[in-house]
């Protein structure tokens, strides 16, 4: 059934409970109630929901409506001068899933079925109640004869319980409790226990046999309410819902009064505890109120973790847990130095940005350890709903706080370190924009008054240390990016990966699997072979998985007595254990080729060389581009061709070939191998230009030379990104020299020392200088 078919107008009755199978007459005077009757009659064949407020003294809001109600059908409507008399027959019990107000209350519902209708206990209680009815019919003031009561013997205990609930003039609180009870035996138990005192409740004359008649006559409204509450409490104890020796309300109140909660929180808690006390424990609202109280109570307000901002300890912890990452470590130490110098400083919100597997999360954990703060991680990848950050309003069924408040509850202190993982992976849809909610969280000028929809009260986040992580800083929304201090974490070099494997990965795997270090030994050659042939990544996650797989294979051989200790691993042995290599990095040609030039590319795995091939053949001047080159690279190739045409004489390209104009009578085909892989970016202009000159002038370019840089129509060479990764890939592929833009000289410090020692790096500002270096100087 669709949600639309399960939605009906809702009428909220003040002092009347409608039970299934029975008819009640309701006096309708309020405009919204008349609207509900009208809509039910005109649009829903007379079907309407009847519910009650859990506290008639509180506001008539959606929050105050009980979730267990009755679906009824309007049988008759009588119009009076200023009101309506409406006769409604109950059909069955329902649970309200959501309530809205548009001129009148409307609710989406689900049917609720009775439980254990034919249990032995239910049948025994029915027989006991029938016997009591026959002997005490006059005292109970039931409008039935003995013969009519005998007819109850033939109906099931569930309908029997509703019959008595409707016919016997029980107090409103008891009737409400009976409607909400699912288990038939428990419902009959409440009826049996309440019947004994029904006459006294109706007449409001006696509470206990020990009180004399004079006091009974003067019983006040407050005393009557007290009696009803005590009777409810006694019934609940009888049903085992609460223990006689413990009082939940007193315990909650005591906890609130003893602890230094903020004034507005304490007032809210006491109000909710009072509301809980007035709600029957069987009611669904009781659990909702209790959950809300527990959430408010469990949040930290004054609990503080003692910070440790000693940068010497912090640097030691960072070095122990992370190899390399010198620039990120330095940035973190600067951040901690400010904390040490001024503990009250809010400082910047760090954002660790880098490829997957480069240690961003573990680095955040190390910062938490260095600061001696509790660490809580919030995963933001795929979050689309603003309510996941701010929480759901309590008017919704199964409402809960947002991720931020849950993290604070988990941390237990007001100054934890919260990691906002994958902040670049958030998105928005019709449910709202979570990035907008994060603006308040990450702004120290605002987050002292953070508002979670579930809490309905302000909460102070100003003492929290937030650290974010992301894979691509360009995907971080601009407003959030403005609040972050970006710390870039680039891909690891092969040498760094080897050291990480030896110092961290292999010891951790041996510890997890409890394999003896004497069983086998890893050397640099074996680790390097695994890195190059079985992984393609910027970080070390795949590397750990492969080392783990090798370790398991050797352990199986050991348990089968096929190997002994001190097994020395080498490329051949690794291939025997885990199969043929899975990856190959792009290799340079063995000899120089006319029209082939090696470019340098940044990839999500780090970097690689990118050969560009150019061929010419007779045609009519077309430029053909293949190899999955996207828009930006296509534009770079077009610009490069225009620049070469404009300067053909300078670059030694003949004006005519075979007596015909060179550019008008040939087609030029530009291709990038590995055509299945999409390629894009603005840094291939220099490579395109050099390949075009080589193909059109018939001169080869050295196969040990690589280049990167964007070019303009005037031959200016513009800077590029990812120089570190590109340099590492050039060194790995056996290049001896690379050309880079002059504006990238500032980035040379990022290139590992071992790469700079093996690779000659030259910087240029104008392409003509590159041309001279490649084509002119070697011929002098």
């Amino acid at each position: 059934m669709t949600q639309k078919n399960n939605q009906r107008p809702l009428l909220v009755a003040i002092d009347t409970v409608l039970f299934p199978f029975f008819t009640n007459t309701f006096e309708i005077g309020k405009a919204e109630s008349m609207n509900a009757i009208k809509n039910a009659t005109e649009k829903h064949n007379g079907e309407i929901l009847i519910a009650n407020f859990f506290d008639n003294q509180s506001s008539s809001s959606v929050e105050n409506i009980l979730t267990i109600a009755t679906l009824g059908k309007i049988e008759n409507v009588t119009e009076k001068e200023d009101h309506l008399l409406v006769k409604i027959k109950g059909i069955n019990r329902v649970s309200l899933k959501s309530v809205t107000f548009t001129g009148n209350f409307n609710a989406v519902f689900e049917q609720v079925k009775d439980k254990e209708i034919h249990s032995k206990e239910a049948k025994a209680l029915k027989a006991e109640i029938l016997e009591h009815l026959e002997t005490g019919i006059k005292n109970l003031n039931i409008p039935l004869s003995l013969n009519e009561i005998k007819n109850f013997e033939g109906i099931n205990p569930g309908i029997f319980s509703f019959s008595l609930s409707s016919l016997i003039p029980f107090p409103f609180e008891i009737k409400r409790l009976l409607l909400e009870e699912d288990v038939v035996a428990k419902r009959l138990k409440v009826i049996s226990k309440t019947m004994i005192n029904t006459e006294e409740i109706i007449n409001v004359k006696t509470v206990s046999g020990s009180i004399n008649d004079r006091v009974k006559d003067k019983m006040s409204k407050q005393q009557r309410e007290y009696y009803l509450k005590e009777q409810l409490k006694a019934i609940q104890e009888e049903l085992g819902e609460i223990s006689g020796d413990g009082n939940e309300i007193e315990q909650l109140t005591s906890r609130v009064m003893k602890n230094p909660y903020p004034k507005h929180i304490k007032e809210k808690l006491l109000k909710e505890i009072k509301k809980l006390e007035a709600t029957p424990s069987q009611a669904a609202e009781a659990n909702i109120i209790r959950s809300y109280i527990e959430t408010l109570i469990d949040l930290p307000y004054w609990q503080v973790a003692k910070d440790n901002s000693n940068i010497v300890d912090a640097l030691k912890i960072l070095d122990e847990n992370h190899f390399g990452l010198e620039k990120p470590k330095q940035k973190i130490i600067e951040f901690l130095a400010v904390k040490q110098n001024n503990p009250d400083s809010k400082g910047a919100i760090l954002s660790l940005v880098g490829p997957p597997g480069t240690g961003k999360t573990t680095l955040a954990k190390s910062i938490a350890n260095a600061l001696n703060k509790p660490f809580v991680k919030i995963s933001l990848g795929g979050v689309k709903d603003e309510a996941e950050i701010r929480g759901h309003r309590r008017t919704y069924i199964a409402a809960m706080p947002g991720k931020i408040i849950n993290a604070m509850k988990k941390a237990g202190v007001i100054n934890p370190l919260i990691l906002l993982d994958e902040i670049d992976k958030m998105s928005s849809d019709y449910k709202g924009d979570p990035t907008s909610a994060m603006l308040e969280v990450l702004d120290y000028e605002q987050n002292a008054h953070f508002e979670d929809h579930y809490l309905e009260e302000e909460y102070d986040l100003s003492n929290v240390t937030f650290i974010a992580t992301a894979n691509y800083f360009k995907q971080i929304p601009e407003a959030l990016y403005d609040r972050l201090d970006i710390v870039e974490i680039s891909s690891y070099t092969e040498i760094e990966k080897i050291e990480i494997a030896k110092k961290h990965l292999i010891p951790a795997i041996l510890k997890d699997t409890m394999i003896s270090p004497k069983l086998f030994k890893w050397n640099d050659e074996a680790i390097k072979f695994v890195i190059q042939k079985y992984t393609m990544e910027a970080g070390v996650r795949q590397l750990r998985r492969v080392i783990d797989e090798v370790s398991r294979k050797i352990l199986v051989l050991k348990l089968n007595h096929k190997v002994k200790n001190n097994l020395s691993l080498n490329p051949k042995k690794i291939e025997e254990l885990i199969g043929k290599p899975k990856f190959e990095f792009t290799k340079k040609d063995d000899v120089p080729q006319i029209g082939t030039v090696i470019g340098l590319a940044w990839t999500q795995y780090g970097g690689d060389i990118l050969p560009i091939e150019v061929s010419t053949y007779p045609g009519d001047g077309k430029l053909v581009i293949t190899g999955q080159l996207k828009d930006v690279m296509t534009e770079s190739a077009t610009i490069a061709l225009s620049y070469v045409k404009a300067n053909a004489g300078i670059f030694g390209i003949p004006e005519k070939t075979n007596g015909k104009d060179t550019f008008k009578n040939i087609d030029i085909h530009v291709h990038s191998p590995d055509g299945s892989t999409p390629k894009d970016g603005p840094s291939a202009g220099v490579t395109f230009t050099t390949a075009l000159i080589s193909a059109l002038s018939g001169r080869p370019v050295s196969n040990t030379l690589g280049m990167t840089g964007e070019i303009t129509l005037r031959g200016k060479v513009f800077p590029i990104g990812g120089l570190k990764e590109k340099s590492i890939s050039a060194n790995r592929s056996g290049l001896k020299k690379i050309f880079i833009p002059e504006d990238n000289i500032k980035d040379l410090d990022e290139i590992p020392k071992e790469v700079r020692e093996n690779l000659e790096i030259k910087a240029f500002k104008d392409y003509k200088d590159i041309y001279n270096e490649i084509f002119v100087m070697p011929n002098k």
Side-chain angles (χ1 to χ4, degrees):
M1 187 177 286
T2 64
Q3 189 181 52
K4 185 177 179 181
N5 291 337
N6 261 20
Q7 180 172 302
R8 297 289 185 275
L10 173 65
L11 181 66
V12 184
I14 301 299
D15 293 314
T16 304
V17 178
L18 179 66
F19 290 94
F21 316 112
F22 286 86
T23 302
N24 277 1
T25 299
F26 297 85
E27 185 176 318
I28 307 299
K30 290 185 177 180
E32 60 264 28
S33 300
M34 290 183 177
N35 288 338
I37 298 298
K38 181 180 178 182
N39 289 338
T41 304
E42 294 178 353
K43 299 179 182 179
H44 299 283
N45 197 28
E47 289 188 356
I48 190 167
L49 297 167
I50 309 297
N52 301 102
F53 290 124
F54 74 81
D55 183 357
N56 290 330
Q57 266 63 40
S58 296
S59 64
S60 301
S61 64
V62 171
E63 293 176 297
N64 198 25
I65 298 175
L66 291 166
T67 56
I68 298 299
T70 305
L71 175 65
K73 187 176 180 65
I74 298 172
E75 293 188 336
N76 184 52
V77 179
T78 303
E79 293 188 12
K80 298 293 183 181
E81 186 176 343
D82 58 350
H83 65 276
L84 301 175
L85 290 179
V86 184
K87 185 183 289 185
I88 303 174
K89 183 176 181 179
I91 299 174
N92 51 45
R93 289 191 314 132
V94 296
S95 173
L96 305 183
K97 296 303 176 184
S98 65
V99 179
T100 57
F101 185 86
T102 52
N104 60 271
F105 287 115
N106 292 280
V108 176
F109 67 93
E110 285 184 359
Q111 185 175 344
V112 177
K113 294 183 179 180
D114 283 350
K115 298 177 182 177
E116 303 176 21
I117 296 174
H118 300 290
S119 67
K120 290 182 179 179
E121 185 180 9
K123 291 178 180 178
L125 284 165
K126 177 189 171 185
E128 179 185 317
I129 293 170
L130 278 173
E131 184 179 348
H132 182 75
L133 283 173
E134 291 173 0
T135 59
I137 187 169
K138 291 182 179 179
N139 291 332
L140 291 170
N141 195 23
I142 302 175
L144 294 173
S145 65
L146 282 172
N147 288 333
E148 288 173 321
I149 289 175
K150 287 183 179 294
N151 291 333
F152 284 143
E153 294 177 1
I155 64 176
N156 71 53
I159 298 176
F160 174 71
S161 67
F162 287 139
S163 300
L164 294 187
S165 300
S166 183
L167 292 171
I168 299 177
F170 292 141
F172 173 71
E173 290 84 355
I174 299 297
K175 290 201 174 199
R176 194 173 68 181
L177 181 65
L178 291 169
L179 181 67
E180 292 175 348
E181 180 55 65
D182 293 337
V183 180
V184 173
K186 286 188 176 183
R187 195 185 299 149
L188 291 172
K189 206 166 188 178
V190 172
I191 291 171
S192 176
K193 190 167 185 67
T194 310
M195 280 172 60
I196 300 169
N197 299 312
T198 297
E199 186 177 2
E200 288 86 343
I201 296 172
I202 295 169
N203 298 319
V204 198
K205 290 181 179 178
T206 184
V207 174
S208 141
S210 63
I211 302 177
N212 60 44
D213 293 338
R214 183 174 58 83
V215 176
K216 295 177 194 174
D217 294 336
K218 295 182 179 179
M219 180 181 262
S220 66
K221 179 183 177 183
Q222 288 76 18
Q223 288 172 309
R224 176 176 180 269
E225 289 177 353
Y226 173 77
Y227 168 69
L228 292 175
K229 289 177 183 178
E230 287 300 306
Q231 187 183 38
L232 279 172
K233 181 178 175 182
I235 291 169
Q236 290 166 350
E237 288 180 3
E238 185 71 21
L239 294 175
E241 295 174 2
I242 61 173
S243 60
D245 58 353
N247 190 315
E248 180 187 26
I249 301 301
E250 290 180 4
Q251 291 173 1
L252 290 172
T253 304
S254 175
R255 184 174 174 185
V256 171
M257 298 308 296
K258 285 181 180 178
N259 291 313
Y261 291 97
K263 183 180 178 182
H264 67 288
I265 296 294
K266 183 172 288 189
E267 289 174 354
K268 184 72 171 179
L269 280 169
L270 293 175
K271 181 180 177 182
E272 293 296 321
I273 291 171
K274 185 178 179 181
K275 190 182 291 184
L276 177 63
E277 185 179 15
T279 306
S281 61
Q282 289 283 344
E285 282 74 20
N287 289 329
I288 294 172
I289 298 169
R290 188 177 292 107
S291 297
Y292 178 70
I293 292 172
E294 289 173 354
T295 299
L296 271 185
I297 284 181
D298 291 342
L299 281 172
Y301 299 94
W302 66 90
Q303 301 90 333
V304 180
K306 187 177 180 182
D307 281 354
N308 173 27
S309 299
N310 189 308
I311 61 173
V312 176
D313 294 342
L315 187 58
K316 182 180 178 182
I317 291 172
L318 292 173
D319 286 338
E320 285 176 355
N321 295 330
H322 301 275
F323 181 84
L325 303 177
E326 299 305 326
K327 279 200 170 183
K329 286 180 183 176
Q330 184 60 39
K331 190 98 175 209
I332 292 165
I333 292 300
E334 292 169 5
F335 171 77
L336 298 180
V338 174
K339 282 280 186 183
Q340 181 176 332
N341 194 52
N342 180 14
D344 295 327
S345 170
K346 303 302 180 185
I349 295 172
L350 297 180
S351 180
L352 309 176
V353 180
T358 49
K360 298 183 293 296
T361 301
T362 53
L363 194 58
K365 287 182 180 178
S366 297
I367 296 172
N369 290 337
L371 291 171
N372 192 34
K373 289 176 177 285
F375 174 82
V376 183
K377 175 184 172 183
I378 297 177
S379 296
L380 296 176
V383 171
K384 297 180 179 180
D385 189 353
E386 181 188 358
E388 292 198 50
I389 305 299
R390 288 191 180 276
H392 301 80
R393 299 187 188 279
R394 283 205 291 157
T395 51
Y396 293 98
I397 303 296
M400 62 182 69
K403 288 178 178 289
I404 302 297
I405 292 300
N406 279 331
M408 294 301 298
K409 185 176 175 182
K410 183 178 179 181
V413 295
I414 62 173
N415 60 335
L417 187 148
I418 294 181
L419 175 66
L420 304 171
D421 198 28
E422 296 187 325
I423 199 169
D424 58 329
K425 303 295 191 302
M426 288 192 298
S427 58
S428 59
D429 63 8
Y430 68 95
K431 296 179 181 178
D433 184 2
T435 59
S436 298
M438 290 301 299
L439 296 178
E440 183 181 357
V441 174
L442 297 179
D443 190 337
Y444 284 119
E445 300 297 325
Q446 301 181 51
N447 64 12
H449 306 286
F450 175 70
E451 291 187 5
D452 184 280
H453 292 154
Y454 180 79
L455 292 189
E456 300 174 344
E457 297 290 338
E458 291 183 353
Y459 189 80
D460 186 359
L461 296 175
S462 61
N463 295 298
V464 179
T465 300
F466 289 104
I467 294 181
T469 69
N471 293 134
Y472 310 104
F473 68 86
K474 289 185 179 179
Q475 293 180 4
I476 301 173
E478 186 176 349
L480 279 181
Y481 184 84
D482 186 54
R483 287 164 167 77
L484 302 174
D485 190 348
I486 303 297
V487 179
E488 290 195 43
I489 300 178
S490 56
S491 56
Y492 293 116
T493 66
E494 281 185 6
I495 293 177
E496 287 174 333
K497 289 182 179 181
I498 291 171
E499 292 300 319
I500 290 169
K502 290 193 296 186
K503 293 182 178 180
H504 298 284
L505 302 184
I506 295 173
I509 290 169
L510 294 177
K511 182 180 178 181
D512 289 345
T513 56
M514 298 185 71
I515 297 175
S516 171
K518 297 179 181 179
L519 181 57
F520 56 85
K521 291 182 178 179
W522 286 90
N523 54 41
D524 289 2
E525 180 191 15
I527 297 173
K528 185 176 181 179
F529 180 72
V530 168
I531 292 169
Q532 292 184 345
K533 303 298 183 180
Y534 293 91
T535 70
M536 185 176 285
E537 60 177 343
V540 292
R541 284 181 184 153
Q542 287 185 25
L543 177 58
R544 178 184 175 118
R545 283 194 288 270
V546 175
I547 293 174
D548 193 21
E549 184 181 359
V550 171
S551 303
R552 294 195 307 269
K553 298 281 188 185
I554 296 173
L555 179 59
V556 171
L557 294 175
K558 171 67 175 177
L559 296 176
N560 289 327
H561 306 289
K562 293 183 179 180
V563 295
K564 297 181 180 179
N565 286 343
N566 297 317
L567 176 66
S568 181
L569 291 172
N570 54 50
K572 182 179 179 181
K573 188 65 180 178
I574 290 172
E575 199 168 320
E576 288 177 6
L577 290 169
I578 59 175
K580 297 292 183 182
K582 298 179 180 178
F583 301 106
E584 287 287 348
F585 287 99
T586 308
K587 295 179 179 178
K588 64 181 181 64
D589 291 332
D590 294 332
V591 294
Q593 301 283 338
I594 293 175
T596 298
V597 177
I598 299 173
L600 305 176
W602 178 93
T603 72
Q604 59 180 322
Y605 310 114
D608 202 359
I609 62 171
L610 182 67
I612 297 295
E613 300 174 346
V614 174
S615 292
T616 62
Y617 48 86
D620 54 5
K622 291 198 297 286
L623 174 64
V624 180
I625 299 175
T626 58
Q628 285 252 46
L629 302 186
K630 299 300 181 181
D631 293 345
V632 176
M633 285 193 77
T634 300
E635 288 184 2
S636 290
T638 305
I639 292 169
L641 179 59
S642 296
Y643 175 66
V644 170
K645 285 181 178 180
N647 297 275
I650 298 174
F651 296 147
I653 300 170
E655 291 183 12
K656 295 183 180 294
T657 303
N658 297 328
K660 296 181 179 180
D661 187 284
T662 298
F663 291 104
K664 287 184 179 180
N665 294 282
I666 63 169
D667 287 345
I668 299 174
H669 188 160
V670 177
H671 177 68
S672 173
D674 188 13
S676 64
T677 304
K679 310 168 191 74
D680 205 2
S683 62
V686 167
T687 311
F688 283 131
T689 303
T690 306
L692 286 166
I693 294 171
S694 173
L696 292 167
S697 64
R699 290 172 290 177
V701 177
S702 172
N703 63 328
T704 62
L705 171 66
M707 59 193 71
T708 181
E710 186 49 40
I711 196 169
T712 70
L713 287 171
R714 299 291 179 265
K716 300 298 180 183
V717 180
F718 278 12
I720 48 84
L723 181 62
K724 175 184 174 182
E725 289 80 3
K726 292 176 179 180
S727 303
I728 292 170
S729 67
N731 181 60
R732 181 183 61 228
S733 297
L735 303 188
K736 301 299 181 184
K737 182 191 294 185
I738 64 171
F739 294 158
I740 67 170
E742 189 175 275
D743 289 341
N744 284 111
I745 291 176
K746 65 182 186 302
D747 301 321
L748 291 177
D749 290 343
E750 296 181 4
I751 300 174
K753 182 180 178 181
E754 64 271 14
V755 174
R756 294 201 306 269
E757 290 174 351
N758 295 331
L759 197 63
E760 182 182 356
I761 301 174
K762 288 195 171 184
F764 297 91
K765 195 170 185 177
D766 191 284
Y767 181 78
K768 290 173 183 175
D769 296 329
I770 296 177
Y771 172 79
N772 290 333
E773 184 78 19
I774 298 173
F775 295 106
V776 179
M777 298 294 291
N779 297 324
K780 287 188 176 180

